[in-house]
Amino acid sequence: MDEITFHTLLHRPGTLVDVGAHDGLIAIPLARLPSSRVIAFEPLPPAFARLQSALREAFGGLPAHVDCRAAALGDMAGEITLSMPVLDGVAQEQWASTAKDYRAHLSGRVTVERFAVPLLRLDDLAITDLTAMKVDAEGAEYEVLRGARETLLRCRPVLTLEIEERHREGSTWAVPAFLDALGYDVLFELHGTWHPVAALDRATMQRASPDPSIFEASDPYVFVFYALPREEAGGMLARLKAAA
């Protein structure tokens, strides 16, 4: 089960939010879903430029129903530093984070480029029809959700989240616990079987180096999690299992 399939199967008309949209890999398919309005957040300047370019190519121009925001999300509004490691002179954009600065990994191979970027709270947008949300914030997922608490309680969207211990130790406990308190069931899928997050064995399913110069990870490596509003989780999970 990939994130696009998940959101397609559980799609409901309304606003869909992509946090960490990068090049539009998920934002563009979301924008193609019927009766959808997409708000795509991407704070890294070169990635934001490519996101807009990809949308123009996909839709023949910037579509009116997609709102691109060159900003990060968090639990306060203002400005924040986005740190991006550079490995052997190559920008590691997929590691750009507002939650860590990579100082511990500086070396002859690793340097860091930093950007001052706008920081927003999702709750401040006062969205009333949020039906789905994808979050990929390289360790800042907890703050993103804290800043979206009232929206989650009001709208009850489905969520996909990429959560990794290598980006923020303890995040695979803290983020699901926060969502549990808001009435969400958090699950992961492995080899066609759905599991509650409590079944995650971090020693064998979440082992990876936090150093951008070291590429190693456990097999399997489970980092995509799915959150369903508890009052609808039974029916939604049945639909996901039937599709699988």
Side-chain angles (χ1 to χ4, degrees):
M1 181 68 61
D2 61 84
E3 292 179 80
I4 296 171
T5 300
F6 172 89
H7 286 296
T8 300
L9 289 170
L10 299 184
H11 174 62
R12 295 167 291 170
T15 297
L16 296 78
V17 166
D18 185 350
V19 183
H22 204 236
D23 291 349
L25 180 65
I26 292 180
I28 290 173
L30 293 182
R32 289 185 169 133
L33 294 173
S35 302
S36 66
R37 169 180 175 253
V38 175
I39 308 177
F41 294 89
E42 176 48 57
L44 186 66
F48 182 79
R50 291 197 308 274
L51 170 64
Q52 291 187 307
S53 178
L55 285 164
R56 289 189 185 98
E57 183 176 348
F59 294 97
L62 286 176
H65 68 296
V66 179
D67 181 1
C68 295
R69 305 282 185 105
L73 284 188
D75 57 4
M76 63 182 68
E79 188 176 85
I80 197 168
T81 298
L82 179 71
S83 298
M84 179 185 69
V86 179
L87 175 63
D88 297 330
V90 179
Q92 304 298 298
E93 290 189 357
Q94 73 278 15
W95 287 60
S97 175
T98 59
K100 56 183 182 177
D101 60 16
Y102 295 100
R103 292 181 190 276
H105 306 295
L106 292 175
S107 69
R109 299 185 64 199
V110 177
T111 58
V112 180
E113 189 172 355
R114 296 182 175 86
F115 305 83
V117 301
L119 182 67
L120 306 175
R121 292 173 71 249
L122 191 67
D123 281 344
D124 291 339
L125 301 186
I127 300 170
T128 59
D129 65 342
L130 183 66
T131 60
M133 188 170 175
K134 166 247 170 182
V135 183
D136 180 7
E138 308 304 309
E141 296 79 17
Y142 187 76
E143 285 79 6
V144 170
L145 295 176
R146 276 175 52 92
R149 181 181 182 276
E150 297 306 318
T151 306
L152 296 177
L153 288 172
R154 178 173 61 250
C155 298
R156 310 304 284 161
V158 298
L159 301 96
T160 59
L161 310 104
E162 296 189 16
I163 315 172
E164 300 180 72
E165 289 290 308
R166 68 173 172 176
H167 289 317
R168 191 169 191 176
E169 189 174 353
S171 60
T172 58
W173 280 276
V175 173
F178 181 82
L179 288 169
D180 176 70
L182 298 186
Y184 275 87
D185 289 345
V186 182
L187 309 106
F188 66 91
E189 183 265 344
L190 183 62
H191 305 315
T193 301
W194 288 87
H195 306 271
V197 69
L200 182 71
D201 183 347
R202 292 158 181 83
T204 60
M205 299 178 182
Q206 265 268 342
R207 189 184 72 253
S209 173
D211 187 335
S213 68
I214 300 175
F215 297 96
E216 63 87 19
S218 58
D219 184 12
Y221 187 65
V222 176
F223 65 99
V224 178
F225 299 87
Y226 305 85
L228 306 174
R230 190 162 294 137
E231 65 275 14
E232 300 183 67
M236 288 180 170
L237 187 56
R239 289 168 61 187
L240 296 171
K241 288 179 176 179

mmCIF file of all heavy atoms in Angstrom, residues 54-81:
data_model
loop_
_atom_site.group_PDB
_atom_site.id
_atom_site.type_symbol
_atom_site.label_atom_id
_atom_site.label_comp_id
_atom_site.label_asym_id
_atom_site.label_seq_id
_atom_site.Cartn_x
_atom_site.Cartn_y
_atom_site.Cartn_z
ATOM 1 N N ALA A 54 6.531 21.409 -12.016
ATOM 2 C CA ALA A 54 5.873 20.121 -12.247
ATOM 3 C C ALA A 54 4.364 20.289 -12.379
ATOM 4 O O ALA A 54 3.718 19.614 -13.200
ATOM 5 C CB ALA A 54 6.203 19.161 -11.103
ATOM 6 N N LEU A 55 3.790 21.185 -11.580
ATOM 7 C CA LEU A 55 2.352 21.441 -11.670
ATOM 8 C C LEU A 55 1.993 22.072 -13.015
ATOM 9 O O LEU A 55 0.985 21.714 -13.636
ATOM 10 C CB LEU A 55 1.910 22.352 -10.531
ATOM 11 C CG LEU A 55 1.809 21.685 -9.148
ATOM 12 C CD1 LEU A 55 1.752 22.729 -8.051
ATOM 13 C CD2 LEU A 55 0.588 20.774 -9.074
ATOM 14 N N ARG A 56 2.818 23.007 -13.460
ATOM 15 C CA ARG A 56 2.562 23.617 -14.766
ATOM 16 C C ARG A 56 2.599 22.572 -15.870
ATOM 17 O O ARG A 56 1.764 22.585 -16.786
ATOM 18 C CB ARG A 56 3.603 24.710 -15.048
ATOM 19 C CG ARG A 56 3.461 25.961 -14.196
ATOM 20 C CD ARG A 56 4.379 27.062 -14.697
ATOM 21 N NE ARG A 56 4.333 28.226 -13.828
ATOM 22 C CZ ARG A 56 5.218 28.484 -12.873
ATOM 23 N NH1 ARG A 56 6.217 27.631 -12.655
ATOM 24 N NH2 ARG A 56 5.104 29.554 -12.121
ATOM 25 N N GLU A 57 3.579 21.677 -15.800
ATOM 26 C CA GLU A 57 3.702 20.641 -16.826
ATOM 27 C C GLU A 57 2.524 19.672 -16.772
ATOM 28 O O GLU A 57 1.999 19.247 -17.802
ATOM 29 C CB GLU A 57 5.014 19.878 -16.642
ATOM 30 C CG GLU A 57 5.255 18.822 -17.707
ATOM 31 C CD GLU A 57 6.600 18.154 -17.572
ATOM 32 O OE1 GLU A 57 7.458 18.647 -16.806
ATOM 33 O OE2 GLU A 57 6.812 17.116 -18.243
ATOM 34 N N ALA A 58 2.094 19.323 -15.563
ATOM 35 C CA ALA A 58 1.023 18.329 -15.409
ATOM 36 C C ALA A 58 -0.337 18.879 -15.809
ATOM 37 O O ALA A 58 -1.189 18.139 -16.324
ATOM 38 C CB ALA A 58 0.983 17.834 -13.961
ATOM 39 N N PHE A 59 -0.559 20.191 -15.583
ATOM 40 C CA PHE A 59 -1.890 20.755 -15.789
ATOM 41 C C PHE A 59 -1.935 21.841 -16.864
ATOM 42 O O PHE A 59 -2.974 22.474 -17.043
ATOM 43 C CB PHE A 59 -2.432 21.314 -14.470
ATOM 44 C CG PHE A 59 -2.702 20.268 -13.430
ATOM 45 C CD1 PHE A 59 -1.766 19.993 -12.439
ATOM 46 C CD2 PHE A 59 -3.879 19.541 -13.445
ATOM 47 C CE1 PHE A 59 -2.004 19.018 -11.479
ATOM 48 C CE2 PHE A 59 -4.127 18.566 -12.493
ATOM 49 C CZ PHE A 59 -3.194 18.302 -11.502
ATOM 50 N N GLY A 60 -0.804 22.059 -17.544
ATOM 51 C CA GLY A 60 -0.785 23.091 -18.561
ATOM 52 C C GLY A 60 -0.804 24.487 -17.980
ATOM 53 O O GLY A 60 -1.325 25.430 -18.593
ATOM 54 N N GLY A 61 -0.256 24.641 -16.804
ATOM 55 C CA GLY A 61 -0.256 25.904 -16.070
ATOM 56 C C GLY A 61 -0.554 25.629 -14.618
ATOM 57 O O GLY A 61 -0.975 24.520 -14.267
ATOM 58 N N LEU A 62 -0.321 26.610 -13.756
ATOM 59 C CA LEU A 62 -0.612 26.406 -12.337
ATOM 60 C C LEU A 62 -2.126 26.283 -12.154
ATOM 61 O O LEU A 62 -2.873 27.228 -12.436
ATOM 62 C CB LEU A 62 -0.071 27.562 -11.495
ATOM 63 C CG LEU A 62 1.444 27.586 -11.287
ATOM 64 C CD1 LEU A 62 1.857 28.839 -10.527
ATOM 65 C CD2 LEU A 62 1.912 26.346 -10.564
ATOM 66 N N PRO A 63 -2.606 25.128 -11.678
ATOM 67 C CA PRO A 63 -4.054 24.937 -11.546
ATOM 68 C C PRO A 63 -4.649 25.780 -10.429
ATOM 69 O O PRO A 63 -4.033 25.957 -9.377
ATOM 70 C CB PRO A 63 -4.175 23.439 -11.238
ATOM 71 C CG PRO A 63 -2.860 23.058 -10.649
ATOM 72 C CD PRO A 63 -1.833 23.940 -11.284
ATOM 73 N N ALA A 64 -5.843 26.275 -10.653
ATOM 74 C CA ALA A 64 -6.487 27.151 -9.682
ATOM 75 C C ALA A 64 -6.816 26.436 -8.384
ATOM 76 O O ALA A 64 -6.923 27.085 -7.331
ATOM 77 C CB ALA A 64 -7.760 27.749 -10.290
ATOM 78 N N HIS A 65 -6.972 25.111 -8.442
ATOM 79 C CA HIS A 65 -7.371 24.392 -7.234
ATOM 80 C C HIS A 65 -6.180 23.871 -6.429
ATOM 81 O O HIS A 65 -6.359 23.098 -5.484
ATOM 82 C CB HIS A 65 -8.314 23.229 -7.586
ATOM 83 C CG HIS A 65 -7.668 22.109 -8.344
ATOM 84 N ND1 HIS A 65 -7.142 22.255 -9.599
ATOM 85 C CD2 HIS A 65 -7.467 20.806 -8.003
ATOM 86 C CE1 HIS A 65 -6.647 21.099 -10.010
ATOM 87 N NE2 HIS A 65 -6.826 20.208 -9.052
ATOM 88 N N VAL A 66 -4.961 24.296 -6.788
ATOM 89 C CA VAL A 66 -3.759 23.938 -6.026
ATOM 90 C C VAL A 66 -3.108 25.218 -5.509
ATOM 91 O O VAL A 66 -2.768 26.111 -6.286
ATOM 92 C CB VAL A 66 -2.758 23.136 -6.872
ATOM 93 C CG1 VAL A 66 -1.518 22.801 -6.036
ATOM 94 C CG2 VAL A 66 -3.400 21.853 -7.404
ATOM 95 N N ASP A 67 -2.950 25.294 -4.215
ATOM 96 C CA ASP A 67 -2.363 26.451 -3.540
ATOM 97 C C ASP A 67 -0.982 26.051 -3.032
ATOM 98 O O ASP A 67 -0.868 25.240 -2.102
ATOM 99 C CB ASP A 67 -3.275 26.877 -2.384
ATOM 100 C CG ASP A 67 -2.762 28.091 -1.629
ATOM 101 O OD1 ASP A 67 -1.703 28.628 -2.000
ATOM 102 O OD2 ASP A 67 -3.419 28.487 -0.649
ATOM 103 N N CYS A 68 0.064 26.563 -3.661
ATOM 104 C CA CYS A 68 1.438 26.236 -3.256
ATOM 105 C C CYS A 68 1.935 27.271 -2.253
ATOM 106 O O CYS A 68 1.870 28.478 -2.516
ATOM 107 C CB CYS A 68 2.361 26.225 -4.465
ATOM 108 S SG CYS A 68 2.008 24.947 -5.677
ATOM 109 N N ARG A 69 2.433 26.797 -1.129
ATOM 110 C CA ARG A 69 2.941 27.685 -0.083
ATOM 111 C C ARG A 69 4.426 27.393 0.160
ATOM 112 O O ARG A 69 4.792 26.266 0.519
ATOM 113 C CB ARG A 69 2.171 27.476 1.221
ATOM 114 C CG ARG A 69 0.646 27.617 1.115
ATOM 115 C CD ARG A 69 0.209 29.060 1.063
ATOM 116 N NE ARG A 69 -1.239 29.188 1.085
ATOM 117 C CZ ARG A 69 -1.948 29.577 2.139
ATOM 118 N NH1 ARG A 69 -1.337 29.852 3.284
ATOM 119 N NH2 ARG A 69 -3.266 29.689 2.069
ATOM 120 N N ALA A 70 5.264 28.405 -0.012
ATOM 121 C CA ALA A 70 6.702 28.263 0.249
ATOM 122 C C ALA A 70 6.947 28.467 1.740
ATOM 123 O O ALA A 70 7.508 29.478 2.170
ATOM 124 C CB ALA A 70 7.480 29.269 -0.582
ATOM 125 N N ALA A 71 6.511 27.495 2.533
ATOM 126 C CA ALA A 71 6.573 27.625 3.988
ATOM 127 C C ALA A 71 6.618 26.255 4.629
ATOM 128 O O ALA A 71 6.207 25.247 4.023
ATOM 129 C CB ALA A 71 5.359 28.404 4.500
ATOM 130 N N ALA A 72 7.115 26.218 5.855
ATOM 131 C CA ALA A 72 7.060 25.022 6.679
ATOM 132 C C ALA A 72 5.864 25.126 7.606
ATOM 133 O O ALA A 72 5.373 26.221 7.890
ATOM 134 C CB ALA A 72 8.347 24.881 7.496
ATOM 135 N N LEU A 73 5.388 23.982 8.085
ATOM 136 C CA LEU A 73 4.324 23.963 9.083
ATOM 137 C C LEU A 73 4.900 23.591 10.436
ATOM 138 O O LEU A 73 5.853 22.809 10.531
ATOM 139 C CB LEU A 73 3.232 22.974 8.696
ATOM 140 C CG LEU A 73 2.247 23.376 7.595
ATOM 141 C CD1 LEU A 73 1.131 22.341 7.502
ATOM 142 C CD2 LEU A 73 1.667 24.748 7.832
ATOM 143 N N GLY A 74 4.300 24.115 11.495
ATOM 144 C CA GLY A 74 4.733 23.797 12.845
ATOM 145 C C GLY A 74 3.657 24.169 13.836
ATOM 146 O O GLY A 74 2.480 24.305 13.480
ATOM 147 N N ASP A 75 4.053 24.363 15.105
ATOM 148 C CA ASP A 75 3.077 24.677 16.152
ATOM 149 C C ASP A 75 3.112 26.139 16.559
ATOM 150 O O ASP A 75 2.572 26.520 17.596
ATOM 151 C CB ASP A 75 3.274 23.774 17.369
ATOM 152 C CG ASP A 75 4.675 23.851 17.949
ATOM 153 O OD1 ASP A 75 5.487 24.665 17.442
ATOM 154 O OD2 ASP A 75 4.958 23.104 18.900
ATOM 155 N N MET A 76 3.747 26.976 15.738
ATOM 156 C CA MET A 76 3.728 28.418 15.945
ATOM 157 C C MET A 76 3.950 29.089 14.601
ATOM 158 O O MET A 76 4.358 28.439 13.635
ATOM 159 C CB MET A 76 4.804 28.855 16.945
ATOM 160 C CG MET A 76 6.219 28.577 16.494
ATOM 161 S SD MET A 76 7.458 29.048 17.733
ATOM 162 C CE MET A 76 7.104 27.842 19.019
ATOM 163 N N ALA A 77 3.659 30.360 14.528
ATOM 164 C CA ALA A 77 3.861 31.116 13.304
ATOM 165 C C ALA A 77 5.068 32.023 13.459
ATOM 166 O O ALA A 77 5.343 32.533 14.540
ATOM 167 C CB ALA A 77 2.622 31.931 12.977
ATOM 168 N N GLY A 78 5.808 32.218 12.379
ATOM 169 C CA GLY A 78 6.983 33.065 12.427
ATOM 170 C C GLY A 78 7.986 32.666 11.367
ATOM 171 O O GLY A 78 7.646 32.562 10.182
ATOM 172 N N GLU A 79 9.205 32.424 11.794
ATOM 173 C CA GLU A 79 10.278 32.024 10.882
ATOM 174 C C GLU A 79 11.089 30.937 11.560
ATOM 175 O O GLU A 79 11.203 30.899 12.794
ATOM 176 C CB GLU A 79 11.171 33.226 10.549
ATOM 177 C CG GLU A 79 12.194 32.970 9.459
ATOM 178 C CD GLU A 79 12.989 34.222 9.101
ATOM 179 O OE1 GLU A 79 14.003 34.493 9.792
ATOM 180 O OE2 GLU A 79 12.574 34.928 8.149
ATOM 181 N N ILE A 80 11.654 30.032 10.770
ATOM 182 C CA ILE A 80 12.427 28.924 11.322
ATOM 183 C C ILE A 80 13.567 28.599 10.373
ATOM 184 O O ILE A 80 13.508 28.932 9.176
ATOM 185 C CB ILE A 80 11.518 27.686 11.556
ATOM 186 C CG1 ILE A 80 12.187 26.678 12.493
ATOM 187 C CG2 ILE A 80 11.108 27.038 10.220
ATOM 188 C CD1 ILE A 80 11.231 25.601 12.992
ATOM 189 N N THR A 81 14.607 27.956 10.895
ATOM 190 C CA THR A 81 15.741 27.554 10.067
ATOM 191 C C THR A 81 15.514 26.158 9.506
ATOM 192 O O THR A 81 15.196 25.219 10.241
ATOM 193 C CB THR A 81 17.044 27.576 10.882
ATOM 194 O OG1 THR A 81 17.296 28.908 11.335
ATOM 195 C CG2 THR A 81 18.220 27.109 10.030
#
